[in-house]
């Protein structure tokens, strides 16, 4: 099983980042955290890497349901969505496939939560493609 949901966009990083935030909001996800990998690695290691931001996306009803079914699943929350530069005109957007929660925990009680989260994340990523924009 692949652990990633992914789409590649024919647009620059900042435009893709803004579009991703909006697509997640349209699916009921809020952004709890943002980690700027490029800035962090430059500050901590003085290395240059392409632009990459990790968005910590959360839909509270799904997080609550997941925690009710598996209290330790918090280590897998929030849903991380990565927006990263491929080149000046292409950006990839990736999210962990929520089905991974079920496989890692071996707790089938998470299946419904994972299915809904997966449907919503897939819809957000699909909406970013040019034919759906």
């Amino acid at each position: 099983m692949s652990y990633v949901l992914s789409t590649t966009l024919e647009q620059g990083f900042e435009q893709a980042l803004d579009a991703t935030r909006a697509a997640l909001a349209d699916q009921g996800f809020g952004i709890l955290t943002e980690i700027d990998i490029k800035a962090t690695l430059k500050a901590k290691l003085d290395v240059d890497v392409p632009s990459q931001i990790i968005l910590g996306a959360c839909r509270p009803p799904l997080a609550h349901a997941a925690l009710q079914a598996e209290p330790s699943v918090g280590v897998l929350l929030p849903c991380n969505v990565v927006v990263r530069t491929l080149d000046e005109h292409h950006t990839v957007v990736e999210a962990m496939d929520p089905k991974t929660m079920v496989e890692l925990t071996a707790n089938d009680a998470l299946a419904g939560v994972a299915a809904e989260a997966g449907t919503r994340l897939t819809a957000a990523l699909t909406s970013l493609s040019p034919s759906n924009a």
Side-chain angles (χ1 to χ4, degrees):
M1 177 184 117
S2 173
Y3 65 93
V4 176
L5 305 174
S6 182
T7 190
T8 300
L9 310 179
E10 291 184 20
Q11 54 188 238
F13 178 78
E14 291 299 329
Q15 184 181 2
L17 182 59
D18 290 343
T20 300
R21 286 185 185 117
L24 289 167
D26 288 347
Q27 290 298 319
F29 289 95
I31 305 301
L32 300 178
T33 60
E34 288 195 24
I35 301 169
D36 186 332
I37 298 296
K38 179 179 181 170
T40 299
L41 293 181
K42 184 64 175 175
K44 301 293 183 182
L45 302 175
D46 195 28
V47 296
D48 295 308
V49 298
S51 295
Q52 179 169 310
I53 291 190
I54 302 170
L55 302 173
C58 180
R59 182 167 165 77
L62 292 176
H64 180 254
L67 289 165
Q68 296 296 84
E70 177 73 38
S72 294
V73 81
V75 300
L76 299 174
L77 299 177
C79 295
N80 285 325
V81 178
V82 177
V83 180
R84 65 181 166 88
T85 274
L86 292 178
D87 60 40
E88 185 178 344
H89 302 290
H90 297 90
T91 305
V92 67
V93 180
E94 297 174 311
M96 183 179 80
D97 187 332
K99 289 185 281 188
T100 305
M101 289 188 308
V102 180
E103 290 199 4
L104 287 174
T105 63
N107 185 342
D108 290 336
L110 289 170
V113 174
E116 182 178 346
T119 296
R120 289 178 179 277
L121 287 170
T122 298
L125 270 60
T126 300
S127 75
L128 296 170
S129 69
S131 62
N132 295 309

